[in-house]
Amino acid sequence: MSLLKKNYHSDRQKALKAGQKEGKFPLAVNRVRKEYLNGERIAVDDMSLNIREHEVTAMIGPSGCGKTTILRLMAGLEFPTRGNVESFGLPIDGPAPERGLVFQAYTSFPWLTVIENVQHGVAIQGYSKVEQRERAEHYLELVHLTDFANAYPDELSGGMKQRVAIARALAQDPNILLLDEPFGALDAQVTWEMEEMVVEICEDTDKTIVLVTHDIQEAIYLADRIIFFTRQPGRIKEDISMEFKKGRRFKKKEDLLTEPGYVEMEKHLYTLMREEIQGPLS
Amino acid sequence: MNKTLKTASSDNEHEGASELAPLFKPPREKFLSLRGTVNSTQSIFLGFIGVISLFAFWEISHHLTPEHQQKFLPSVTQVTSKLYYLFTEKGYIVDVAKSVYRIYLSFFVACLVAIPLGVLMGSFIKMRALFNPTVGGLRYLPAASFVPLLLVYLGPTDSAKMALLFLGCVFFLVALILDNIEAVPRALIESAQTMGASRFHIVFRVTFRSAAPQILDSMRNMIAVSWTYLVIAEIVAATDGIGAVMMRGARFLHVDVIMGGILTIGVLGVLTDVSFRIAAHFLFPHTRARR
Ligand SMILES: Nc1ncnc2c1ncn2[C@@H]1O[C@H](COP(=O)(O)OP(=O)(O)O)[C@@H](O)[C@H]1O
Ligand SMILES: [Mg+2]
């Protein structure tokens, strides 16, 4: 049975690589509708969206507009009611390490130390013991947690816990990193630090990232492209390219504030948000 | 603005470290302060007082009892000296060992059944649907109601006694472990799934591992219930064990023997509880920080 499964995995990996070479999108959402409570609630309706490689795509919108839903569909933790979600041309048939997910809730394993947590994710991928350790150490360094390698998650602050989660997701070497409001529970100053860390990670790894957030500044700072969602049912209201950044990443968040076009972008997003918050619930 | 800042800081330097603002002494914590604090010395001391008061109450009650009825409420010293006599002259230690053996073996078998079943039911909703109505229903049958059945099937054997102890806790243990497993946060399981973990890996290395401290706690609570069934189990054709000694004591109105038995069970129960706590301390170091 395990042999069959191995074959399935390597075949899938090959197909994904082929799709990637052909220039297929890392994630393609095709006319997806997702219903809950036997169709009583429509979380997402008729959504089509292509995520481009090496880009940071932020999904933003008012609370309850289906951001988490679409991310869970991308992760393979749930399946659409209608339509389909593909990764490099392959239908998503369940969660897989090539799509790493960081949850808003803390998901470090409390019985493992920080480094063991990161190693655990690597171990599942079948790396040797030495490689596991090396990868874990590398990614802990990337998230500035080397000094806390042997602490238990319960001894860490919220920001540190999320850094463990990010290191763990990166260490499993995903094509795509999915982040669901990873800093939603953190205070403003820690969030700021974490955002700058994500920029560093983008520079170092050039990952394809899908970031769900409700924070306008965060979206502008981190994203190359912002998808704005309407509220219930979730649809795409606007697909906005962050052209004013001219493809640059800003190590310091405050440097962005004086960039020509920033204020207009922020104002525009606030306007969209106000429309959605004040608009009638359909 | 810069200037004012500077003067402010140099003012501080002039005052020097020795002239700190007078310390405000917070009011002493009341004995009954809400959710207050207790250090280990205090808690040991208070626990000790609790035990002493119980024995004091017992001793005083003995002395308040009319003389001709005092044998129905022997004093602490009478009971302890009786216990000493039982241990030294009557081979009571064999009975105690027998009871401990019965409790631990039956509980071990109950765990062998309940843990896999609880983990299975908590991990797979269809397994839960299959077993839960049955297990849930069986919980409502008093274990003592199995006594006649067990006597018919197994006779006055050791097995009958252990079967009763087993039945007394196994169904509750399944229910408790099911709860422990279901309390594992969904996000923990899902994050393991996104790492590519197999179902097997998740059940054993994530769900079970995550619930393990709580499962040990459930076991600690259920073995206490096992101890409460001990006397009922050993009444069944009493031959040996603490319960049997107590029943023999009852036949001859030896209240001191009965109370000695109760005392023994109490002490053994506390020792069991403490050993479970010590095991938890060493098995799950990550839970120490929170306690
Ligand atoms: N498991 C579920 N059962 C029922 N309704 C759900 C479920 N998950 C999400 N929803 C509903 O779908 C809508 C979108 O939810 P979600 O994707 O979590 O929104 P967001 O992440 O944008 O705040 C909400 O109205 C929410 O109540
Ligand atoms: Mg959400």
Side-chain angles (χ1 to χ4, degrees):
Chain A
M1 191 211 105
S2 70
L3 201 71
L4 274 176
K5 220 168 173 188
K6 266 224 168 82
N7 281 336
Y8 165 83
H9 276 301
S10 59
D11 286 353
R12 194 176 163 85
Q13 280 303 329
K14 269 182 212 145
L16 284 172
K17 282 255 155 60
Q20 194 169 9
K21 273 219 181 90
E22 285 168 36
K24 296 231 169 79
F25 290 109
L27 283 167
V29 178
N30 302 314
R31 306 211 58 177
V32 160
R33 178 186 172 97
K34 178 65 184 175
E35 298 170 358
Y36 285 112
L37 313 172
N38 294 320
E40 219 173 275
R41 181 165 295 153
I42 304 161
V44 175
D45 193 24
D46 199 11
M47 176 155 318
S48 293
L49 172 66
N50 292 324
I51 302 294
R52 293 189 285 266
E53 214 170 356
H54 308 304
E55 258 191 14
V56 178
T57 308
M59 300 198 292
I60 190 167
S63 181
C65 69
K67 307 182 292 288
T68 297
T69 303
I70 207 82
L71 208 71
R72 287 173 64 83
L73 292 170
M74 288 172 169
L77 289 170
E78 276 173 68
F79 296 99
T81 315
R82 268 185 238 160
N84 64 71
V85 187
E86 290 179 338
S87 180
F88 294 118
L90 247 63
I92 287 172
D93 60 356
E98 71 245 19
R99 278 165 280 119
L101 177 59
V102 175
F103 295 72
Q104 179 174 359
Y106 303 132
T107 53
S108 310
F109 298 149
W111 61 93
L112 297 178
T113 62
V114 166
I115 191 152
E116 284 167 351
N117 259 288
V118 180
Q119 235 175 309
H120 189 97
V122 189
I124 296 172
Q125 316 310 317
Y127 285 94
S128 76
K129 271 265 174 333
V130 182
E131 282 173 309
Q132 285 174 31
R133 193 83 193 172
E134 278 172 1
R135 287 184 74 84
E137 278 167 1
H138 170 74
Y139 285 103
L140 277 189
E141 202 178 315
L142 200 65
V143 299
H144 315 302
L145 271 185
T146 309
D147 291 346
F148 292 88
N150 296 316
Y152 283 106
D154 283 341
E155 300 163 350
L156 303 182
S157 67
M160 290 179 182
K161 281 185 207 168
Q162 285 308 66
R163 283 193 261 166
V164 177
I166 291 173
R168 188 169 70 174
L170 285 172
Q172 74 192 45
D173 204 16
N175 296 322
I176 305 144
L177 189 61
L178 307 168
L179 308 172
D180 187 5
E181 303 201 26
F183 318 134
L186 308 180
D187 66 43
Q189 173 244 320
V190 176
T191 303
W192 176 26
E193 278 174 46
M194 299 288 284
E195 287 165 0
E196 294 191 347
M197 197 192 76
V198 170
V199 169
E200 267 176 51
I201 290 171
C202 289
E203 303 252 276
D204 288 2
T205 63
D206 206 22
K207 287 268 180 244
T208 308
I209 295 180
V210 182
L211 167 78
V212 163
T213 179
H214 58 254
D215 181 331
I216 289 173
Q217 283 197 357
E218 179 173 297
I220 303 175
Y221 177 51
L222 293 177
D224 301 306
R225 174 192 181 197
I226 294 178
I227 313 286
F228 205 104
F229 280 37
T230 61
R231 187 161 57 145
Q232 276 186 26
R235 292 200 179 90
I236 295 178
K237 186 180 175 78
E238 239 183 272
D239 183 343
I240 313 156
S241 174
M242 295 295 106
E243 268 163 3
F244 79 94
K245 294 207 274 185
K246 305 190 187 89
R248 286 166 301 161
R249 297 197 196 285
F250 296 81
K251 280 217 162 68
K252 293 181 184 159
K253 195 176 178 185
E254 61 270 30
D255 288 348
L256 182 69
L257 302 180
T258 49
E259 198 61 21
Y262 172 80
V263 179
E264 290 75 10
M265 181 58 66
E266 193 173 359
K267 171 115 197 260
H268 179 59
L269 288 171
Y270 270 103
T271 313
L272 292 180
M273 192 65 92
R274 184 177 293 281
E275 281 170 18
E276 278 314 304
I277 297 169
Q278 291 180 341
L281 276 173
S282 57
Chain B
M1 196 201 111
N2 230 346
K3 239 180 195 170
T4 46
L5 269 179
K6 247 187 196 151
T7 42
S9 70
S10 58
D11 270 359
N12 272 340
E13 274 162 32
H14 278 304
E15 279 179 23
S18 55
E19 285 181 56
L20 293 169
L23 179 70
F24 169 72
K25 272 205 176 139
R28 270 191 58 171
E29 187 176 307
K30 295 187 175 67
F31 184 73
L32 294 182
S33 80
L34 283 167
R35 292 280 164 103
T37 53
V38 66
N39 62 35
S40 56
T41 329
Q42 280 171 322
S43 75
I44 290 171
F45 178 70
L46 289 172
F48 202 64
I49 292 199
V51 174
I52 296 282
S53 334
L54 176 70
F55 282 97
F57 177 75
W58 172 4
E59 191 71 27
I60 292 167
S61 314
H62 166 78
H63 290 292
L64 292 181
T65 314
E67 198 128 343
H68 65 281
Q69 285 177 342
Q70 269 185 356
K71 68 169 180 167
F72 295 116
L73 186 55
S75 71
V76 180
T77 33
Q78 278 167 349
V79 170
T80 40
S81 64
K82 189 60 161 206
L83 270 178
Y84 181 77
Y85 165 77
L86 284 173
F87 272 116
T88 49
E89 309 282 321
K90 290 282 178 184
Y92 186 47
I93 190 74
V94 178
D95 293 290
V96 172
K98 196 83 200 211
S99 292
V100 169
Y101 160 78
R102 282 173 186 151
I103 293 269
Y104 276 81
L105 186 62
S106 64
F107 189 72
F108 178 71
V109 176
C111 289
L112 278 190
V113 174
I115 294 176
L117 197 57
V119 171
L120 203 64
M121 287 163 69
S123 304
F124 306 106
I125 190 92
K126 294 206 175 64
M127 286 294 125
R128 190 198 148 119
L130 175 65
F131 289 113
N132 206 35
T134 321
V135 175
L138 285 172
R139 259 188 315 174
Y140 289 92
L141 292 179
S145 66
F146 286 101
V147 170
L149 195 65
L150 292 174
L151 271 179
V152 173
Y153 286 170
L154 301 168
T157 56
D158 242 19
S159 321
K161 298 174 180 91
M162 284 194 269
L164 182 71
L165 290 173
F166 171 83
L167 289 171
C169 66
V170 71
F171 304 117
F172 282 98
L173 200 55
V174 172
L176 285 176
I177 291 170
L178 172 61
D179 278 352
N180 297 149
I181 294 283
E182 287 190 330
V184 174
R186 201 186 177 80
L188 231 55
I189 295 168
E190 287 182 339
S191 74
Q193 285 179 319
T194 60
M195 285 186 248
S198 64
R199 282 176 303 166
F200 186 84
H201 182 105
I202 292 176
V203 169
F204 292 102
R205 303 273 308 273
V206 180
T207 327
F208 178 69
R209 191 64 187 73
S210 170
Q214 287 74 287
I215 289 178
L216 193 70
D217 238 28
S218 299
M219 286 165 63
R220 187 172 60 81
N221 288 323
M222 277 320 297
I223 203 167
V225 175
S226 256
W227 278 107
T228 65
Y229 277 116
L230 179 71
V231 178
I232 300 176
E234 288 179 342
I235 287 171
V236 182
T239 44
D240 50 9
I242 302 171
V245 172
M246 286 165 74
M247 280 314 289
R248 239 176 286 140
R251 215 172 304 143
F252 302 107
L253 293 183
H254 288 159
V255 179
D256 48 356
V257 175
I258 301 174
M259 293 182 83
I262 294 174
L263 203 62
T264 318
I265 292 176
V267 170
L268 288 173
V270 169
L271 286 180
T272 308
D273 201 87
V274 167
S275 46
F276 266 87
R277 284 179 201 274
I278 292 173
H281 181 84
F282 287 105
L283 282 174
F284 311 118
H286 68 279
T287 58
R288 278 181 221 167
R290 270 178 291 170
R291 287 214 174 128

